[in-house]
Amino acid sequence: MDDRRILDRIAELGLELPPAPLPVASYIPVRVAGTIAYVAGQVPFVDGAVGFAGRLGDPATPVTVEEAARGARLAALQVLSVLRDALGSFEPLAGIAQVTVYVASAPDFVDHPQVANGASDLLVDVLGEGGRHARAAVGMSSLPLGASVEVAATAVLA
């Protein structure tokens, strides 16, 4: 994919590609194996801290679907950031094959797909057809650093 076109598209959307966040534990952000790049889960960071913390459907730590979807959008942007950092540019990227969106939620919460749409829509908005992907949206009792959402992806390289 064209590096300049993707960066321009991000700017057109009123966004900025954030610096690739450093791992917070014992893992690497991206593992390339042949023509597949596996991107470690990204939680949304805002001004150096986890954004949109809490659990959906939990009155003790309330987060709305809209807030979590914004967090998923930001986490997907971070997926693109760590991919570009690992690959040196977007040039080797052919597209996104799979996205998994983890949602910290109470047991009776059922709107995981609406939260995950934040990530999916961002990837399509930025990458066009190359951003269309298979997806899983999964509820979890908790996520790292108290985040309400985490996004992991598998990318295909040219």
Side-chain angles (χ1 to χ4, degrees), residues 47-110:
D47 297 326
V50 172
F52 312 100
R55 281 186 349 146
L56 285 97
D58 183 346
T61 59
V63 178
T64 67
V65 169
E66 294 77 19
E67 289 169 330
R70 286 198 314 270
R73 183 175 175 86
L74 179 55
L77 192 60
Q78 289 173 201
V79 163
L80 293 176
S81 179
V82 296
L83 261 174
R84 185 171 189 263
D85 188 63
L87 301 174
S89 77
F90 288 117
E91 299 297 333
L93 182 63
I96 305 297
Q98 167 75 29
V99 171
T100 303
V101 180
Y102 302 96
V103 180
S105 58
D108 58 345
F109 181 78
V110 296

Side-chain angles (χ1 to χ4, degrees), residues 16-53:
E16 186 176 312
L17 194 66
L22 298 173
V24 296
S26 183
Y27 64 91
I28 57 175
V30 177
R31 171 71 171 170
V32 175
T35 59
I36 303 294
Y38 300 93
V39 182
Q42 300 294 310
V43 298
F45 283 99
V46 177
D47 297 326
V50 172
F52 312 100

